Amino acid sequence: MASDRTPPRLYARGMSTSIAPVTTPLGGPSLPQERRLETAIPGPRSQELLARKAEAVAAGVGHTVPIAAVAAGGGVVVDADGNSLIDLGSGIAVTTVGNAHPKVVEAIAAQAAQLTHTCFMISPYESYVEVAETLNRLTPGDHAKKSALFNSGAEAVENAVKIARKFTGKQAVVAFDHAYHGRTNLTMALTAKSMPYKSGFGPFAAEVYRVPASYPFRDGLSGQDAAARAISMIEKQVGADNLAAVIIEPIQGEGGFVVPADGFLPAVVEWCRANDVVFIADEVQSGFARTGAMFASEHFGIVPDLITTAKGIAGGMPLAAVTGRADIMDATHTGGLGGTYGGNPVACAAALAAMDAFENDGLIERAQEIETLLTGRLREIAASDPRIGEVRGRGAMIAAEFVDPETGAPDAALTGAVAKACIAAGVIVLTCGTYGNVIRFLPPLSIGDDLLAEGLDVLAEALGTV
Ligand SMILES: *Cc1c(COP(=O)(O)O)cnc(C)c1O
């Protein structure tokens, strides 16, 4: 495809990218909102960077979309070769508000020019406190709440467990099948899947127990029955007297965008309340308008004791939080929580801008519209293609699970081939699932309807050819 547009230059020492920081109402640099392939993917400039990556970056740090990204905004990611890809991944549910969203960019620039760091544990500053106030207000439940800020989702989960142990005086933690909670030692222990997250990295943290979750497509159980199965196992194998916390993603992320059966989560919460066990909702992936509600917990009518957040919170800046019942959050001695960078002022400024957009720019409604568009088209494709076993999810967190139509067995090979074909055609899609047989759709909420539709057309075409 020929084009008279100058492709953005690959950023290099002493050289700035040619993308000017002009912003649009959609969010992000004023990039044409189109899928455009100037070269095969990866193009020559991207290949150059990937070769340098292979030389300089540890092999364990992989990548699934082989491009050198230089700019993104609205619903596209542009690479160094001038290719413009439709973004159905949001950098794993991070740029929910839109990549380089103008409000976020402005807040970052202003804060960076004023104060980049004091360490909140040394000298407090207002933006951290304001992020805490906002989280306390936006999270489910109108009880007294407090928050503490960290750098990553895994760090938030680690701290939620620390806080629950201190509050209860108990040690055991229960996590679920298909769970993903991070890559640090404790969170690897909480995460279910060995390859690639845990394999060879043990020994893992002690006092972590795993019980079955609710996965309606595969277990066929009602929410009540799935909860009874989990609770019975907890009582027999762990014992409420030893259990500090139960941690669960209200809609599981890496495990396959699994939406639990109705009644499952409320029954688990009720059991926790009756047994002095802290219920932690890990909303690192599902939080902040992503599912068509501010938090996924709201879909199930549950009010978690503690809630962990990160990913979408700050429009791409690293920030995470634990928010919850004030009595639980205050159980820790002064100095027991913190970290050098936790709640960095620039990240907090970005979070305040992003959370303002989530609350006031109609993004929850936009996620609901995206659900209608995505599930409508995916179910249409599934109706004539029995290899799609299920379309599920909420809001802009939607998945298609691929199976062998004869046996219902997970088809990871097909899933991988479809994802690869989509990426080659200029559509960024991510896979997930314990069995590697799920394609997940996590578009930024700033994407336009036409790009969403085109992205799914490409998926349908890919399915037809693999
Ligand atoms: C991504 C994720 C984490 C880990 O977050 P990091 O910022 O990568 O440490 C934890 N829990 C869930 C549900 C996640 O999706």
Side-chain angles (χ1 to χ4, degrees):
M1 237 186 289
S3 164
D4 52 8
R5 267 183 225 99
T6 320
R9 284 175 299 174
L10 182 57
Y11 181 83
R13 252 190 295 267
M15 196 166 104
S16 75
T17 144
S18 63
I19 300 286
V22 179
T23 55
T24 70
L26 258 185
S30 61
L31 301 172
Q33 294 298 301
E34 62 182 11
R35 181 171 64 104
R36 185 180 72 241
L37 292 180
E38 304 280 0
T39 67
I41 295 207
R45 282 161 178 271
S46 294
Q47 284 180 34
E48 216 175 284
L49 182 73
L50 297 176
R52 278 169 57 196
K53 175 190 180 247
E55 285 297 313
V57 179
V61 184
H63 63 263
T64 55
V65 180
I67 60 167
V70 294
V76 299
V77 174
V78 175
D79 76 8
D81 296 288
N83 298 306
S84 175
L85 291 81
I86 297 176
D87 183 8
L88 301 185
S90 300
I92 319 184
V94 169
T95 55
T96 305
V97 72
N99 210 308
H101 186 286
K103 282 187 184 173
V104 174
V105 170
E106 200 181 316
I108 289 172
Q111 183 60 53
Q114 183 92 15
L115 173 82
T116 52
H117 176 83
T118 60
C119 185
F120 190 75
M121 302 180 304
I122 306 293
S123 313
Y125 39 87
E126 187 179 3
S127 56
Y128 184 119
V129 176
E130 203 176 331
V131 168
E133 289 167 347
T134 307
L135 288 168
N136 297 345
R137 179 167 54 78
L138 291 181
T139 48
D142 47 18
H143 51 288
K145 284 178 239 160
K146 290 201 169 179
S147 290
L149 305 185
F150 305 97
N151 301 294
S152 70
E155 208 188 337
V157 169
E158 292 255 357
N159 279 279
V161 170
K162 276 168 67 173
I163 292 164
R165 283 177 169 158
K166 191 78 184 181
F167 175 74
T168 59
K170 301 188 277 187
Q171 294 187 349
V173 182
V174 158
F176 288 80
D177 282 342
H178 315 293
Y180 181 84
H181 297 292
R183 295 173 180 269
T184 58
N185 189 264
L186 174 61
T187 59
M188 276 193 293
L190 293 169
T191 290
K193 195 173 176 179
S194 174
M195 231 11 217
Y197 307 123
K198 307 168 71 164
S199 186
F201 299 142
F204 303 112
E207 286 304 315
V208 171
Y209 301 87
R210 188 170 315 287
V211 302
S214 167
Y215 193 158
F217 178 65
R218 298 217 160 262
D219 64 25
L221 293 180
S222 71
Q224 289 302 329
D225 289 349
R229 178 177 67 173
I231 289 165
S232 160
M233 199 176 275
I234 294 170
E235 287 178 337
K236 302 277 180 317
Q237 299 187 15
V238 187
D241 289 350
N242 305 302
L243 186 58
V246 164
I247 182 163
I248 190 163
E249 303 151 82
I251 296 177
Q252 291 182 314
E254 305 301 306
F257 281 23
V258 183
V259 182
D262 282 345
F264 174 76
L265 288 171
V268 173
V269 171
E270 194 183 329
W271 181 87
C272 287
R273 294 273 142 79
N275 289 279
D276 298 318
V277 172
V278 175
F279 180 89
I280 306 170
D282 182 352
E283 294 233 25
V284 167
Q285 191 155 163
S286 58
F288 300 109
R290 174 52 62 186
T291 66
M294 192 59 86
F295 293 96
S297 293
E298 297 167 35
H299 292 297
F300 309 99
I302 58 167
V303 176
D305 296 317
L306 299 181
I307 174 164
T308 54
T309 54
K311 290 200 166 91
I313 189 173
M317 295 296 283
L319 188 72
V322 181
T323 300
R325 271 171 49 192
D327 56 333
I328 301 177
M329 293 298 293
D330 279 342
T332 306
H333 49 275
T334 300
L337 303 177
T340 306
Y341 294 113
N344 167 273
V346 181
C348 283
L352 290 172
M355 290 192 289
D356 179 68
F358 291 132
E359 221 185 334
N360 300 313
D361 293 355
L363 293 184
I364 289 174
E365 294 72 20
R366 180 61 189 148
Q368 293 165 357
E369 285 170 13
I370 288 174
E371 172 177 339
T372 305
L373 289 167
L374 283 177
T375 56
R377 180 76 170 107
L378 286 169
R379 295 211 163 106
E380 201 178 276
I381 299 169
S384 62
D385 194 332
R387 295 173 298 173
I388 298 182
E390 189 180 41
V391 173
R392 59 172 175 257
R394 294 279 189 280
M397 185 172 181
I398 300 294
E401 174 159 353
F402 293 89
V403 298
D404 178 329
E406 304 296 311
T407 63
D411 194 340
L414 171 68
T415 309
V418 171
K420 227 173 152 182
C422 287
I423 290 166
V427 179
I428 297 175
V429 293
L430 311 175
T431 61
C432 65
T434 297
Y435 314 106
N437 68 323
V438 176
I439 290 185
R440 54 174 151 176
F441 302 92
L442 288 166
L445 303 180
S446 52
I447 196 171
D449 289 359
D450 45 347
L451 282 187
L452 265 184
E454 188 178 342
L456 293 184
D457 286 347
V458 168
L459 176 92
E461 221 167 282
L463 257 172
T465 55
V466 298

